[in-house]
């Protein structure tokens, strides 16, 4: 059985005044307010989403 890696992401910036595309990306990551953390599967798609809003989120840990 293969073990999938996980990544913990925290929202550090507000979505207020940001383009709609960035707001939808944050929602896709499950982030709705500053300080909220989500544990997500470490896939290329998730990494791409994080890269699009890198100025609004930070990676706090990897499992």
């Amino acid at each position: 059985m293969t073990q999938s890696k996980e990544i913990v992401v925290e929202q550090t910036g507000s979505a207020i005044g940001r383009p709609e595309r960035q707001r939808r990306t944050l929602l896709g990551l499950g982030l709705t307010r500053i300080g909220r953390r989500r544990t997500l599967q470490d896939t290329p798609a998730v990494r791409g989403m994080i890269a699009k809003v890198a100025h609004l989120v930070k990676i706090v840990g990897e499992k």
Side-chain angles (χ1 to χ4, degrees), residues 11 18 20 31 34-35:
Q11 185 173 347
R18 300 292 177 182
E20 184 65 26
L31 301 170
I34 294 175

Side-chain angles (χ1 to χ4, degrees), residues 36-51:
R36 176 138 313 164
R37 291 183 179 194
R38 287 288 179 247
T39 302
L40 305 166
Q41 295 299 318
D42 191 3
T43 64
V46 170
R47 287 284 184 165
M49 292 171 76
I50 292 169

Side-chain angles (χ1 to χ4, degrees), residues 2-13:
T2 61
Q3 206 172 23
S4 60
K5 289 188 174 186
E6 293 181 335
I7 190 167
V8 181
V9 181
E10 180 179 350
Q11 185 173 347
T12 58

Side-chain angles (χ1 to χ4, degrees), residues 10-28:
E10 180 179 350
Q11 185 173 347
T12 58
S14 174
I16 296 172
R18 300 292 177 182
E20 184 65 26
R21 188 171 182 163
Q22 291 179 10
R23 282 190 252 154
R24 286 193 310 244
T25 301
L26 285 173
L27 287 175

